[in-house]
Amino acid sequence: MHDKPLASKSAAPQGVGARVPRKEDIRHLMGKGQFVGDMSMPGLCEVAFLRSPLAHASLDRIHLPQSLAGKVFTREHMQVRDIVADSTLPTYQRSAQPPLASGKVRFVGEPIAMAIAASRAEAEDLIEELNVDYGELPVYANTESALAATDHLVHEEWRDNVFVTLKADRDFDVAALDAPVVVRRRVELARQCMVPMEGKAVLAYWDHRDDQLVVVSATQVPHMIRTGLAECLEMDQTKIRVISPDVGGAFGYKCVLQQEEVCIAWLAKTYKRPFRYLEDRREHLIAGANTREHYYDMTAYADRDGRLLALDAHIVIDGGAYSVWPFTIGLEPGQATGNLPGPYDFQRYRCLTQCVATNKPGFVPYRGVARTGVCFAIELMMDAIAYEVGREPWDIRLLNLVKPEQMPYVNVANKHFDSGDYPASLRRALEMIDAPAIRARQAHAERDGRLIGLGVATYTEQSAHGTSVFAAWGTPVIPGYDQAGVKVTPDGGLEIRVGVHSHGQGMETTFAQIANEILGVDVENIRVIHGDTGQTPFSTGTYASRSLVMSGGAVAQACKALAPRILHIGAHLLKAEPSTAELRAGAVWAGDSSVGIRDVAQAWYINPQTLPADAPVGGLETTVGYKPKVDTGAFTYATHAAVVAVDPGTGEVEILDYVVVEDCGTMVNPMVVEGQTFGGIAQGLGTALYEETPYDENAQPLASTFADYVMPGATEVPHIRIDHFETPSPHTEFGAKGMGEGGAIAPPAVIYNAVNDVLRRLNAPVVNRTPLTPARLRHALAGANSAAADAVATHPAPSATVQAEVEAQS
């Protein structure tokens, strides 16, 4: 199925599948990393922003004292274009986002003016001298008010406050007519922030020697940021170099063009001096892009055994005030509409999805990109179906999951599942969690009075989807081939250059392992260069769990292209025919004799008189482009299962056990896979139990510090047990699949299903809105049937009623 690697593994394997310690960790543990905030330059000016205190208002006048001329700037000073993310989706309405507010403000925290000074504190003092006259406008703090508006819209030129409306309909009415089981659910996800350790960070200066604008930004997508800045600043891309140094987490927050990046770049271009902006935590929580706010109204139609026949859904997404460049706001509703059916085999589907503009910060893709919401929605629905037909939740899933013999499988939403055994992952998770033992435990009261619940969830993660998928979404930049450059250095090491950029994924290690698998060069002698448009080949960047598949595939192809050249020179040095030579363990072998790649490099660079007459003129370096054979994506999947203890007095939830059975195809480094899974689950638990960005009726944010915005810490994240399946993708190098987002997808569904397992035993209303705070859980517990509350040790059979409608409370 896949090309056989050219190098066999040594006694200490370092190639594909080895648990090689991450190379990049040493510099961070030793404090030798370099982030934007670590940099120092002569004449560096720090920048602070005046931000709007109102959610929706006209900017009648900005009072700018003459003493601040040349120190404070507004939109009128800037000769730049607004950030405009166009889309080819038929119903899409474009939004123009000015780098500094112009005409009016559309959310609390929108930047209005910027000040420059030798220090951030001095710049903030200058901001305090400004006064602004506002004309208050109607505020749309939620989707209901925004949908009802007829004038004073978020964007005046629009016909309504809807960014985009998407529809899916596959033979729905045929199946819904006579279904014996009808189950309705409403689920809601709260708005969140991303909260990376490092917020937005950008430094820009003019390189006089190269006559070039240099923008150093904490971004996931340096090449795309160069494209976006070139458009806004009306410059040729060759005149802009974007460098992304070490990045302290991103999670999607840093994969779009930021207003502040445009502002700082304009300052450097205009004044030929260095300028820097570092986002503080309060700015992030108030004005940083938001995510996750989804509302689902669903009706499922099933037979008496619980087989899903059809699904009808209405999804509303609060998209905030602006559509982000380059992915546009259309990405979120597109992912929601396409992924709601999950890993299940049914043939009738109807979905209406609306993404609504409100007076909140713009919506940015966040780890999972809509799939956390759709997994939450469909997995709560599967539990509801199980309850109504009187069967265990896992029995319903095993009945409905796509089977391995159906692979490759095109689902009801046209998702191309490439490979895997979804039911096996569920069975293994149930084995690891010991479901029968948990059910037996529930038959007896806990000594501390807490109640035990068990939840499961299975999901798919579409990774490394490419040209055809993004072209259908109509985004301004469409990913194509990723490129990698590989060069043998004079000492026999390797330099790998890729256009993607790491913000914690371990690429400096995994890409080196891929090269080692093919060429046999020791991982310690391989250097990965990334995050610099001036040194690396083009890539749209790191997002959508694509880097290992796309750029990793390019690294593999580039190494394979170099291998014959190394063999040709090495065979000549051995006085052997190239056809008789082989490359293994970092050396060229002919019989029992060998020369190392270092010797080949010495011949090419230092001793060319030893080269064969027909030496490869391309030398020992090459750049190769790659994309998978099928670009609809490689589908990772997993089942999560959890056991929780609910305290009926306090409403506290403790996770007693948490297991994951995941399949991301061939693992390049299982330790990296596990690290990404652990981190994703921690974020998913934040979505489930802690994180929320609430707003009042005036769209004023009510969580502006960590005293109000609660995140899980080390004591809240349980011990997580992981088991791996490896079903290679037929479309990618080594059969690898992306998995960077998967850990964050399932936790809300798993935790809620486990808690609802408790609530159903009490005949209490189920919970369906994130986060599951103690107050919300106590409210649900207060609705428990008194008789059931007196007999919490008993686990009654699910309802015998088959024809039912379940109306969930908000």
Side-chain angles (χ1 to χ4, degrees):
M1 184 180 297
H2 304 286
D3 293 338
K4 183 178 179 180
L6 293 170
S8 60
K9 293 182 179 179
S10 65
Q14 297 182 331
V16 172
R19 289 179 174 268
V20 177
R22 298 199 333 170
K23 290 160 59 75
E24 48 269 78
D25 288 348
I26 294 175
R27 72 172 181 271
H28 294 306
L29 291 171
M30 300 296 292
K32 296 179 179 179
Q34 187 177 52
F35 300 83
V36 175
D38 296 322
M39 298 177 180
S40 179
M41 299 184 71
L44 177 64
C45 288
E46 304 288 354
V47 179
F49 289 90
L50 170 68
R51 297 183 179 275
S52 172
L54 300 177
H56 199 196
S58 60
L59 286 176
D60 296 340
R61 184 182 178 189
I62 301 174
H63 297 272
L64 186 62
Q66 185 61 37
S67 60
L68 299 183
K71 301 177 182 178
V72 174
F73 306 91
T74 67
R75 181 67 179 87
E76 294 180 354
H77 296 99
M78 300 178 68
Q79 294 76 47
V80 298
R81 293 178 179 175
D82 292 344
I83 301 170
V84 178
D86 274 327
S87 172
T88 59
L89 293 172
T91 61
Y92 180 84
Q93 298 193 94
R94 71 192 301 224
S95 62
Q97 182 177 23
L100 295 173
S102 176
K104 73 173 186 176
V105 293
R106 294 179 172 88
F107 65 91
V108 172
E110 183 167 9
I112 296 172
M114 59 180 172
I116 62 173
S119 70
R120 172 69 177 255
E122 292 173 281
E124 290 177 349
D125 287 343
L126 295 177
I127 286 295
E128 291 294 323
E129 297 183 41
L130 294 178
N131 289 301
V132 181
D133 295 335
Y134 299 96
E136 293 193 37
L137 296 170
V139 173
Y140 308 115
N142 51 55
T143 57
E144 291 84 357
S145 62
L147 286 169
T150 57
D151 57 9
H152 298 297
L153 301 176
V154 176
H155 298 277
E156 295 81 357
E157 69 277 14
W158 286 12
R159 58 185 175 271
D160 53 28
N161 278 328
V162 180
F163 277 109
V164 66
T165 300
L166 301 179
K167 296 179 181 180
D169 194 332
R170 180 168 174 180
D171 301 331
F172 171 78
D173 290 329
V174 176
L177 295 178
D178 300 314
V181 177
V182 181
V183 181
R184 292 191 171 90
R185 294 289 286 171
R186 177 175 173 84
V187 301
E188 303 178 3
L189 282 86
R191 204 170 187 84
Q192 285 181 242
C193 287
M194 285 75 159
V195 202
M197 292 181 69
E198 175 197 37
K200 296 179 188 177
V202 56
L203 182 154
Y205 63 93
W206 192 265
D207 185 329
H208 292 278
R209 181 180 182 277
D210 289 339
D211 195 30
Q212 190 177 48
L213 173 65
V214 179
V215 180
V216 184
S217 179
T219 181
Q220 303 168 231
V221 289
H223 287 273
M224 282 207 293
I225 294 305
R226 181 181 66 178
T227 299
L229 288 175
E231 289 184 9
C232 289
L233 300 176
E234 299 182 90
M235 298 175 65
D236 291 338
Q237 291 197 44
T238 55
K239 300 288 287 185
I240 302 174
R241 179 182 179 186
V242 174
I243 300 171
S244 187
D246 287 322
V247 176
F251 314 124
Y253 184 51
K254 300 171 184 175
C255 72
V256 301
L257 180 62
Q258 310 280 2
Q259 292 169 281
E260 294 87 353
E261 287 173 319
V262 176
C263 289
I264 304 306
W266 174 81
L267 284 169
K269 173 195 175 187
T270 304
Y271 293 98
K272 304 297 190 289
R273 295 177 55 189
F275 298 88
R276 176 170 59 189
Y277 165 70
L278 301 175
E279 178 185 65
D280 65 30
R281 192 58 65 190
R282 186 176 174 85
E283 284 179 305
H284 176 77
L285 292 174
I286 292 175
N290 294 170
T291 189
R292 290 281 194 260
E293 191 172 358
H294 288 204
Y295 303 89
Y296 295 81
D297 286 289
M298 300 174 295
T299 304
Y301 300 84
D303 66 16
R304 294 180 184 276
D305 291 328
R307 180 178 293 279
L308 185 58
L309 303 174
L311 180 66
D312 191 15
H314 181 201
I315 306 172
V316 178
I317 298 171
D318 187 330
Y322 294 104
S323 182
V324 295
W325 189 96
F327 296 110
T328 81
I329 197 64
L331 179 64
E332 193 78 14
Q335 285 279 59
T337 305
N339 286 283
L340 181 58
Y344 299 109
D345 175 17
F346 64 98
Q347 301 302 318
R348 309 288 186 264
Y349 178 49
R350 182 170 67 184
C351 185
L352 172 68
T353 304
Q354 294 173 292
C355 189
V356 181
T358 61
N359 292 123
K360 298 173 185 173
F363 208 100
V364 163
Y366 177 45
R367 195 175 195 175
V369 190
R371 287 162 291 189
T372 299
V374 298
C375 179
F376 186 62
I378 193 65
E379 290 300 298
L380 265 63
M381 175 60 84
M382 297 306 290
D383 266 33
I385 293 171
Y387 181 73
E388 289 308 315
V389 301
R391 300 184 66 180
E392 287 285 10
W394 42 87
D395 291 336
I396 295 302
R397 287 171 172 80
L398 290 171
L399 180 66
N400 285 284
L401 286 168
V402 174
K403 307 300 188 292
E405 59 269 22
Q406 295 176 276
M407 297 292 183
Y409 177 85
V410 180
N411 82 344
V412 70
N414 201 36
K415 297 298 181 186
H416 294 245
F417 299 160
D418 54 339
S419 59
D421 191 336
Y422 302 169
S425 74
L426 174 56
R427 294 189 188 99
R428 177 59 181 144
L430 292 170
E431 178 185 343
M432 291 175 67
I433 208 79
D434 199 350
I438 299 303
R439 285 296 187 235
R441 179 177 177 179
Q442 289 175 321
H444 304 280
E446 298 290 313
R447 291 182 179 180
D448 59 8
R450 295 190 299 174
L451 309 174
I452 304 301
L454 170 60
V456 298
T458 301
Y459 69 89
T460 62
E461 177 189 1
Q462 184 182 14
S463 69
H465 35 299
T467 303
S468 63
V469 177
F470 279 88
W473 284 333
T475 55
V477 178
I478 308 296
Y481 288 90
D482 261 52
Q483 294 177 293
V486 176
K487 177 173 71 174
V488 179
T489 60
D491 57 3
L494 288 179
E495 282 186 0
I496 297 173
R497 298 174 187 266
V498 290
V500 293
H501 187 55
S502 177
H503 46 277
Q505 292 89 341
M507 294 178 196
E508 294 173 37
T509 303
T510 53
F511 288 176
Q513 288 182 254
I514 290 170
N516 170 272
E517 180 76 14
I518 296 168
L519 298 178
V521 177
D522 192 283
V523 164
E524 289 302 312
N525 295 327
I526 300 174
R527 181 180 177 220
V528 177
I529 299 169
H530 55 153
D532 186 343
T533 63
Q535 297 192 63
T536 62
F538 183 85
S539 168
T540 53
T542 301
Y543 56 91
S545 297
R546 68 186 301 275
S547 298
L548 192 283
V549 173
M550 300 295 292
S551 281
V555 170
Q557 289 295 316
C559 289
K560 289 178 181 180
L562 275 186
R565 304 182 195 177
I566 296 170
L567 279 169
H568 189 76
I569 296 173
H572 176 77
L573 296 177
L574 290 169
K575 297 181 171 30
E577 289 296 322
S579 60
T580 66
E582 63 175 333
L583 181 61
R584 68 175 188 268
V588 178
W589 289 80
D592 294 330
S593 301
S594 68
V595 292
I597 291 180
R598 182 186 182 98
D599 300 311
V600 173
Q602 285 284 310
W604 177 261
Y605 291 108
I606 309 299
N607 299 309
Q609 74 278 7
T610 64
L611 292 172
D614 59 347
V617 294
L620 297 180
E621 59 183 292
T622 189
T623 298
V624 175
Y626 171 83
K627 64 179 179 179
K629 301 170 188 175
V630 177
D631 71 356
T632 52
F635 277 81
T636 293
Y637 63 96
T639 295
H640 292 206
V643 178
V644 304
V646 173
D647 188 324
T650 65
E652 295 286 342
V653 176
E654 181 185 358
I655 302 170
L656 303 179
D657 196 8
Y658 199 108
V659 303
V660 177
V661 180
E662 71 84 32
D663 186 345
C664 63
T666 302
M667 292 183 287
V668 173
N669 188 324
M671 186 169 61
V672 170
V673 169
E674 289 164 3
Q676 289 291 297
T677 302
F678 291 147
I681 290 172
Q683 289 181 296
L685 295 178
T687 298
L689 297 172
Y690 304 104
E691 296 183 52
E692 182 175 16
T693 303
Y695 288 81
D696 67 13
E697 65 277 8
N698 295 312
Q700 291 288 330
L702 302 179
S704 60
T705 71
F706 281 150
D708 306 304
Y709 191 92
V710 182
M711 296 182 65
T715 57
E716 285 75 42
V717 178
H719 175 67
I720 299 165
R721 296 183 289 132
I722 301 179
D723 196 10
H724 302 285
F725 290 177
E726 290 189 82
T727 309
S729 170
H731 307 315
T732 69
E733 283 291 316
F734 308 112
K737 307 175 185 179
M739 52 72 55
E741 299 174 90
I745 292 174
V750 171
I751 299 304
Y752 274 67
N753 281 340
V755 171
N756 285 334
D757 185 42
V758 171
L759 295 174
R760 286 193 174 100
R761 290 162 52 218
L762 300 176
N763 288 329
V766 296
V767 287
N768 66 330
R769 178 185 177 188
T770 67
L772 184 53
T773 62
R776 286 175 180 156
L777 185 49
R778 288 197 305 270
H779 179 76
L781 288 164
N785 177 279
S786 59
D790 292 336
V792 294
T794 303
H795 181 58
S799 170
T801 304
V802 176
Q803 178 69 35
E805 295 183 356
V806 178
E807 297 288 353
Q809 297 184 3
S810 297

